[in-house]
Amino acid sequence: MALERTFSIVKPDATRRNLTGAVVAKLEEGGLRVFASKRIQMTKDQAEGFYAVHKERPFYGELVAFMTSGPVVVQVLEGENAIARNREIMGATNPEEAAEGTIRKLYAENIEANSVHGSDAPETAAEEIKYFFSDDEIVG
Ligand code: ATP
Ligand code: MG
């Protein structure tokens, strides 16, 4: 088992419904620790850059609009196999396919407004952490 860091976002649908604490509690109960956290309003530029990998997808414009529709909480999480563990706790992208007890099954509104983001690989985790945090903001 490897101690890893991953990047997480509590998305606008969750902050709007006052579910930040509920989402973070699920992450902590799942064995992850919050090493950095801040509530921000993402700019259009930031959201476009963050989701640049999905630029050609039909939902890109809507996704950027959704991610800038309200505050988000960006976080660095650490734990054993944190990248895979986080995605397990989050559940499938589409809440209708998410396993019982996962954040998306419990809280997501739909496939877009699905309450959380989690990095999908070590490279993207490192890039995404750097996109929002400087080293001195991450405190273990
Ligand atoms: P994330 O990257 O946010 O952790 P993910 O890795 O489960 O989610 P991706 O395929 O990377 O899923 O999609 C990124 C985000 O784009 C999704 O979380 C969701 O908000 C949105 N999205 C994905 N598929 C669709 C779709 N078919 N229609 C609308 N929005 C979508
Ligand atoms: Mg993804």
Side-chain angles (χ1 to χ4, degrees):
M1 296 261 272
L3 200 57
E4 282 178 342
R5 286 184 184 177
T6 191
F7 176 74
S8 159
I9 305 177
V10 183
K11 293 185 178 180
D13 66 288
T15 63
R16 179 168 36 79
R17 287 174 291 150
N18 205 23
L19 292 171
T20 301
V23 168
V24 175
K26 293 294 290 179
L27 299 171
E28 290 182 338
E29 282 163 17
L32 300 171
R33 307 180 78 92
V34 179
F35 272 30
S37 176
K38 60 188 173 191
R39 184 174 165 103
I40 61 166
Q41 171 63 51
M42 252 196 234
T43 64
K44 186 162 180 270
D45 274 1
Q46 261 178 323
E48 284 176 349
F50 184 75
Y51 279 121
V53 61
H54 295 308
K55 208 158 48 191
E56 307 306 328
R57 309 278 285 274
F59 58 80
Y60 178 68
E62 256 189 50
L63 177 59
V64 168
F66 165 62
M67 290 302 287
T68 56
S69 68
V72 299
V73 178
V74 290
Q75 305 188 94
V76 177
L77 307 175
E78 187 173 290
E80 290 294 331
N81 295 319
I83 296 163
R85 183 77 192 112
N86 183 36
R87 290 184 66 90
E88 213 172 84
I89 300 165
M90 286 162 49
T93 310
N94 183 349
E96 288 174 17
E97 290 162 15
E100 289 300 325
T102 61
I103 291 171
R104 284 166 167 171
K105 179 71 174 187
L106 286 166
Y107 302 125
E109 295 184 315
N110 51 58
I111 192 169
E112 176 185 83
N114 60 3
S115 304
V116 276
H117 162 82
S119 310
D120 57 13
E123 300 72 35
T124 47
E127 275 169 26
E128 291 173 1
I129 288 170
K130 266 227 296 257
Y131 196 78
F132 287 102
F133 291 100
S134 57
D135 283 348
D136 63 1
E137 291 178 295
I138 303 167
V139 182

